[in-house]
Structure formats: structure tokens, C-alpha cells
Amino acid sequence: MVASVRAVPTRSAQPLVRRLLLTVMLAAIALPLPLTLMVQGSPARVRQALASPLLHDNAEPLRRPRLRPITWWRGQFQRDFEAWFGGVIEPHGWIVRLTNQVYYTVFAKSYMKDRQIIVARDRYLYDLEYLDAYCWSANHDSGGASASLVAKLSDLQHGLVHRDRLLLFLLTPSKAVTMPEFLPVGLCGRPPTPDRERERFVAALRRAGVATIDGPELVQAMKAHDPLPPFPRGGTHWSVLAGARVGARLVEAIARLSGRDVGELVIDPPRWGAPPTPVVTLISHEC
Amino acid sequence: MVFSSPLFLFGFLPTFLAVYAAIPTRALNTTALIASVFFYAWGEPIFVLFAVASAALDLVVVRLMVASHRVGVRRLLLGVGVAANLGLLAYVKYANFAYANVDPVVGAWLGVHLPHMRTIALPIGISFIVFEKITYVVDVHRGVSRPALSVQDYLLYVFLFPKLLAGPIIKYHDIAPQLIDRPRRLDDVGAGLTRFAIGLAKKVLLADPMGELADMVFAPGEAIGFRLAWLGAIAYALQIFFDFSGYSDMAIGLARMMGFRLMENFVRPYLAIGFGDFWRRWHISLSTWIRDYLYIPLGGDRVSTPRLYLNLWICFLASGLWHGAAWTFVLWGAYHGLFLTLDRLFLKRLLTGLPRVAGIGFTFLAVTIGWVVFRAPDAGVALTYLAAMIDPLGYSHRVVLVSRDLYLVMAIGLAMCFLPALDGFERLHEQLRGAPQWQTISMAFAAGLLAVSIAKATTVAFHPFLYFRF
């Protein structure tokens, strides 16, 4: 004979359970404010222990706006205050990390401000906007748009020469163009041809006399030689090394074109043993 | 301040509830009014002054109306009250639209242009506020409502924050007894918070992801293909439903926490068979407003058949324009007016004669096609989009990356909309509702939804409610 135990609360226990649930729900909305006030008002050491982890972000940290009549009437104070409040309310850091981790693990995507990040093969991350642009090249001939842009840049170049100014055009690479091997097969319908488009565009610019640095070409060359990719797996922007190398070319080009000594960007030989950026860096991005 | 924003969830709401619970009963209305005016002033710091002035005018007009025994004077005052409210709405909502349409015509015919008109920012919730204020003036004139007992009562009716920005549109006589006396019970707080959590979940877990998908498909660019067009249209149909019904749930829940009972605004609208049925289930407070304050004054059903059809069109053109100052909204209103006319002619009989699933399916598809016109930035885009929806062989290069959570959300949304149509669903639902644990289980479910929704709302960037712009 097997004895069974009822786990479901009895009828008389229902109101008590409901009170408990109501308390939990009210606590979920009522506790963050006093917790935040406590953290904000604590000494630095206590604050460090109590506050949720800082989120990685490349934007300036938000400051609490000052209330002035003019900012109130314009609604600026309200907008700034809401943004600031949303960023400091505890436990904002934990919630963002947890939510992004769930999206990353379960749905292979992540939110990052108003952009969306897609997790591709081998868990490489791509910004959705760059993927759209990459696929666009599969189905469009951008010759007309490129010719128009070249003509405008050429005009600009001539205008600046008259004012004794230089124009240096820098193309920067996107992760989708540089590392398409991690994208799902058949993503764009047809195979995109971003290199052919770019090469035509750069050649046209140079024919028109516009000084141009072909960033994607430089980064492709690095990719062929470096043991680590120019775009890290857990990020959507190029690595500091890739950016610095292209930056060094930019400085060289400025010095060459201007004939002035503008200094030199010295890059130490990279140490390839450093561990790659952990994925957690990405999923803790401020949203 | 959006109900799903961290400032509302963790700042305004708990502070308000704590104060509201602590004060004596006689101070409830004053507290609710101060909180409501602050809530509106936070988003509309200047327009709140116009809204207060306009409400004061309503009070004066109604006082004079009640004091007068002459029919002509009462009618004149009614006209003044309605015209003042409509004038305010016309100025802030339609002046730019009228200018943009009239100026080119004047320029083409007379060779001169009208003086430049600056862009007027549309105050949020203005259409809802004005419609409620009109009901007060009209209902007092009709003898349906008694004048407000105090200025505070009337201002609280106008500014009551749960329903202030996107309804439900309530009538003064429906809420007047609650302004005088309403219960303050913990059970109401529990039921209200449960309803609020469900509404928040609809908004952030269903409507916002569907909005992401709809935004990607409707984004300007290359023409889309058949599959993508339907995917985007259905995503938008789900977005607008869960967004607006989620807001209504939150409004009803917040009001319940304060002891108020507001009318229901949605009753499974995508299970409608025919457009008449749809409008009895969708944005009920607006459709009843149009019926009571426009359709019936135009003659209602007691007019000749051609006039009746014309009246239906007028009502739905007005409904379209109420949603926004753009030709797409007028087209959308005309589209619904057309289907309501067809309903009366033969469509309703035809659809009810079909198997239920066919009637529901036809109505949903027709309503979804209407949403495309509603969502499109202009008529040209709407036509291109609709062309893609009727061309299964059409080919497009357009690539839209749809992450798998969006398919999951769409499946859940469609199931929530259509599962209640299954035989036996209602019976099962009733049985569950009658179970002793039902209330506790639903509350536990809502608590879980609240936690997940708060996490999503805190993490993902700001998404305003769609109906705030109307």
C-alpha cells in the first residue's frame, strides 16, 4: 500500500497562499526602490558589495539629471531621469545579465540597446543590421549608387583642395563581410559578392583621385596570417588589434598626404596567448 | 510614463500604492487626483495645463446648462461644450494634416501658399481625454448623467491615471458612484495586480516581439514576397491586439487596485464572425462611444436602408480619423465601413452559415488585411504590400532574419487567440474557474509572469504602446 501526500493546499489554506503570492508580487515591484536608495547612499565599499555587477557598455555612463524649470517644461528632465533611473535601479545589472543569458542560450539572440545580435555557427555573434547589409549585396548591383557616391566624394575632394584641406576616405570592415564562414549556409539566398563590389568602388575612388584606405582588405590580410580572428567570437566590433593596425595605416596616410609629421602609431607585437573575450562580456551589455 | 517602464513599475506604482493604502478614506480622491495629474504632467508638462483649462470649461458649461431651463440655451451650451472639445482635438491632432493637404491645393489653384505652419506635437492620450469629456457634456444634456458633485470629482474622472493615456473610454455616469464610494480591499489589490501582471506579460512578452518582426517586414526597402508579407501582417495583427488589450488589462488592473471597476475593452476579438461581431469584441469602449454619440444621433437603425449604410460609413470614417491624421487611417475606416455594410447586406448570413472555423478564419484574414493599411506609412506602400499578399508566385530578394523566439511567440499568440474557439474549451475553462484552487493558481501564474515580464521590460529598450499615438 502506498500512502499519498497532497501537495495542493487545502481550501482553508488558499487565502493564506494568495496573501503570500500577493506579498511576493508587491515585493517584486516595491523592493527595488529602497534597495537602490540604500545602495546609492552607502559608502563605496558597502556599495560595491551590494550593487549588482556593472554592465559593459561603450556609451557614457548616465548621470542623474538636474531638475530645472526649462528642462521640465521641455520634457528633457523626464526623459533623462527615466533613462538614468532604468540604469541604476537595483538589481538592474543582475536582471540584464540573466535575461540576456536566457535569450542567448535558448533563442540564439541577444538584445543590445536598440540593436539585435544574432548567434551564428560556432556561437559567433553578428549584428543583425550588418547581416542585412551583407545580404543586400547578394541581390543588388550597387554600381549606380557607388558611382553617385564617387562623384560626390570627388567633388568634395576638389572643394577641399581649394581650401587647402585633405580628404582621406576610410572604408571599415564589417564582421559579416570579413568572416562570412560562420554564417548559416544559404542565409542570403544567393552568394553575396561584397568583395567584388568593394574592389570596384575603391578602384573608382582612386581613379577619381580620392585618397582611400581599404580597411576590409587590410583586415582580410590580417585574418590570413593572425592566429586569432580580427573580430572576436563574442563581440560584434573588430578587435582592438585590427582597429589599431588600420589606424596606423590611417596615420601613415595622413603623414604622407600632408607632408607633416603627425607622429606614429606604434603597436607592440601581439601576445597571442591571451584568452579570448568571454561570452559573458557580450551578454552583460547594457540594453 | 509607460506602464512597462522601470520608473513606473519600481518608482511611481509602489510609491502610489503605499501612500494610497496608508491615507484615510476621505483623502483617497485627492491623492488619486494628485498622482494622476503628476503622471500626466510627467509626459505632457505643458498640455496638462490646457487639459485642466478645458476641463474647467466643461464644468462651467455644464453648470450653466443645468441652471438653464430653456431648451435653446441648453442646446447652445451643448454645442459650445462639444465644439470646444472637438476644436482642441482638431487643433492638436488634425491642423498639420489639414495644412499639408490644403496648402498644395491652394498653391495649385491660386498660385499662393498658406503661411507656414509649425508642427504641433500630438499630446499623448488626447483622443481618449477629449472623447470622455464630450460624454460628460452630452450625457448631462441628455439627462443620463448628473453634474459632477465637485471639481475634484470631475478632474479625477478626466485624469484618472490607469485609463488616462489609452482608455478604456469610460462614461462619467459609469464611474460617478465609484468616485463617491468604493471599497478598499486587499482582495481587490490582489485581483488588480494579477490582471496588471497579465497585461504586462501581453505587452512585453508577446506584443513587443511581434512588433520586432512586424517592424522588420514593414521597414522601407525592397518589396517583399508572399510568405514574408503574410508573416509580417499576422505579426502586426498579434502585436496590435496584445499591445492594446495588454494596456487595457493593465489599466483595469491598476484601477481595481484603487477600488475602481472599469469596463472590459476586448472579448476575444479574433474569434469574431463578421465585422459587426468584431467591433462588438474589439476596443468595445470606442465602438460603444461611436454608437452612442455618433451613430444613434445620426438616426441609428431607424432610417432608410441607404441612409443607414451611409451612416455606417460616416461612423467608421470618423473612427479611422480618430486613430490618426493620415489617409491610411481614413482608408482603414472606409474598409471597415465597407465590410460592415456587406455584413448587413449578405456577408453576416453567409459567414454564419459556414462552418465556424471558416467564418472565424475569413474574418481574421479580412481584419488582418485591414491592419496592413492601418500600419503602412502611406497608401502606396499599403497597395504594394497587399499586392505581395495576393501573389503566391511573387519573388523577392528581400531577406529578413527571423529568430526562433519570434516564431515561438507567434505560435503562442495565435494559440491564445484561437484555442478558445475549440469545442469544449469554454466548458473546460468554466470547470477550471470553478475549482477551489483556480484563483490561487492563476495568481501564482501571474506572479511568474510578473517576474519574467519585469526582467524583459528592464532589459530591452523602450517600446511605447501603439495606442498612445492615437
Side-chain angles (χ1 to χ4, degrees), chain A residues 114-116 118 126-135, chain B residues 401:
Chain A
D114 53 350
R115 312 277 282 256
Q116 281 190 45
I118 300 299
Y126 291 86
D127 188 324
L128 186 60
E129 269 189 36
Y130 290 113
L131 287 188
D132 284 342
Y134 172 71
C135 286
Chain B
L401 295 171

Side-chain angles (χ1 to χ4, degrees), chain B residues 92-436:
Chain B
V92 297
K93 190 162 182 174
Y94 302 108
N96 286 133
F97 175 64
Y99 177 84
N101 284 283
V102 171
D103 184 50
V105 176
V106 171
W109 283 6
L110 304 176
V112 290
H113 284 278
L114 299 173
H116 175 72
M117 185 180 185
R118 67 182 181 87
T119 303
I120 301 164
L122 181 69
I124 49 174
I126 177 69
S127 308
F128 293 90
I129 294 171
V130 165
F131 269 33
E132 286 184 340
K133 280 153 46 50
I134 288 175
T135 64
Y136 175 65
V137 178
V138 174
D139 284 353
V140 171
H141 180 263
R142 285 176 176 173
V144 179
S145 274
R146 293 165 74 175
L149 289 176
S150 67
V151 173
Q152 178 178 276
D153 277 7
Y154 184 63
L155 289 178
L156 183 54
Y157 159 69
V158 173
F159 286 102
L160 186 67
F161 77 85
K163 56 83 194 166
L164 178 61
L165 303 181
I169 301 167
I170 54 174
K171 299 181 176 75
Y172 182 75
H173 58 85
D174 285 338
I175 206 165
Q178 302 179 53
L179 291 171
I180 299 164
D181 181 33
R182 59 184 178 277
R184 195 159 48 151
R185 293 188 302 238
L186 203 56
D187 280 354
D188 278 337
V189 177
L193 195 52
T194 301
R195 187 74 185 263
F196 178 82
I198 290 168
L200 184 66
K202 279 184 179 177
K203 163 70 180 156
V204 301
L205 302 180
L206 298 173
D208 289 349
M210 286 298 91
E212 277 174 31
L213 178 51
D215 287 350
M216 283 192 281
V217 178
F218 278 87
E222 196 182 341
I224 47 171
F226 178 77
R227 181 179 152 273
L228 206 54
W230 276 103
L231 196 69
I234 291 170
Y236 186 67
L238 293 176
Q239 182 198 4
I240 196 164
F241 170 57
F242 286 115
D243 189 280
F244 194 19
S245 75
Y247 178 87
S248 294
D249 286 336
M250 283 189 257
I252 291 167
L254 287 169
R256 180 83 182 266
M257 282 192 258
M258 299 163 71
F260 288 103
R261 299 289 183 113
L262 302 186
M263 70 179 294
E264 291 297 331
N265 221 9
F266 292 88
V267 182
R268 295 174 181 163
Y270 290 149
L271 295 188
I273 298 176
F275 274 62
D277 191 22
F278 175 76
W279 281 103
R280 278 188 288 277
R281 295 162 173 268
W282 178 278
H283 202 175
I284 299 164
S285 63
L286 176 68
S287 47
T288 51
W289 194 97
I290 287 176
R291 183 196 64 200
D292 294 345
Y293 300 96
L294 188 58
Y295 183 69
I296 291 174
L298 284 171
D301 288 340
R302 293 167 302 176
V303 290
S304 65
T305 307
R307 179 66 199 268
L308 187 141
Y309 296 148
L310 178 68
N311 289 348
L312 278 174
W313 273 61
I314 291 170
C315 288
F316 276 86
L317 285 175
S319 167
L321 263 180
W322 178 87
H323 281 86
W327 288 111
T328 46
F329 292 117
V330 178
L331 278 175
W332 175 79
Y335 177 81
H336 276 262
L338 171 69
F339 269 95
L340 279 159
T341 308
L342 295 177
D343 244 18
R344 299 245 178 173
L345 283 170
F346 70 92
L347 194 59
K348 178 74 181 169
R349 277 196 309 279
L350 180 73
L351 290 176
T352 45
L354 294 172
R356 191 160 174 247
V357 66
I360 290 172
F362 175 86
T363 309
F364 176 68
L365 292 183
V367 166
T368 300
I369 287 168
W371 289 137
V372 170
V373 181
F374 191 89
R375 171 65 174 77
D378 57 60
V381 172
L383 281 175
T384 310
Y385 197 105
L386 292 173
M389 288 174 80
I390 56 170
D391 181 12
L393 300 176
Y395 178 75
S396 164
H397 295 312
R398 179 85 166 268
V399 176
V400 173
L401 295 171
V402 183
S403 51
R404 54 184 182 240
D405 64 311
L406 299 185
Y407 285 119
L408 177 69
V409 169
M410 182 176 271
I412 293 170
L414 288 171
M416 284 175 65
C417 289
F418 294 107
L419 275 184
L422 293 178
D423 287 340
F425 183 91
E426 271 311 319
R427 201 173 54 246
L428 179 68
H429 191 219
E430 284 308 312
Q431 280 175 358
L432 287 172
R433 285 176 72 92

Side-chain angles (χ1 to χ4, degrees), chain A residues 6 8-11 14-15 17-19 21-22 24-26 28-34 72-75 77-79 81-82 85-86 89-92 95-100 103-109 111 113-114 116 118 128 131-132 135-136 139-140 187-190 286-287, chain B residues 1-2 5-11 13-15 17 38 41-46 48-49 186-187 189-190 193-194 196-197 204-205 209 212 216 222 257 395 397-401 403-406 408 436-441 443-444 446-447 450 454-456 458-463:
Chain A
R6 279 193 74 187
V8 179
T10 60
R11 185 185 288 255
Q14 299 290 319
V17 175
R18 284 203 294 275
R19 290 275 159 90
L21 286 167
L22 177 59
V24 169
M25 284 203 279
L26 286 173
I29 57 170
L31 283 184
L33 186 59
W72 172 270
W73 290 118
R74 287 179 180 164
F77 170 79
Q78 292 90 319
R79 284 190 290 277
F81 188 87
E82 287 209 41
F85 187 88
I89 191 79
E90 291 293 344
H92 175 254
I95 291 176
V96 171
R97 282 179 168 234
L98 179 68
T99 310
N100 280 351
Y103 267 98
Y104 179 76
T105 308
V106 181
F107 299 120
K109 76 185 263 189
Y111 288 97
K113 291 204 181 290
D114 53 350
Q116 281 190 45
I118 300 299
L128 186 60
L131 287 188
D132 284 342
C135 286
W136 199 84
N139 302 304
H140 296 82
L187 171 78
C188 309
R190 301 177 191 180
E286 175 70 278
C287 287
Chain B
M1 210 183 310
V2 180
S5 69
L7 183 60
F8 183 85
L9 288 170
F10 306 128
L13 182 59
T15 308
L17 288 178
F38 173 78
W42 184 265
E44 293 293 345
I46 294 174
V48 68
L49 303 175
L186 203 56
D187 280 354
V189 177
L193 195 52
T194 301
F196 178 82
V204 301
L205 302 180
E212 277 174 31
M216 283 192 281
E222 196 182 341
M257 282 192 258
Y395 178 75
H397 295 312
R398 179 85 166 268
V399 176
V400 173
L401 295 171
S403 51
R404 54 184 182 240
D405 64 311
L406 299 185
L408 177 69
Q437 292 91 354
W438 171 256
Q439 216 182 340
T440 311
I441 290 170
M443 215 164 159
L450 183 68
I454 282 176
K456 176 83 190 295
T458 310
T459 305
V460 180
F462 171 72
H463 290 281

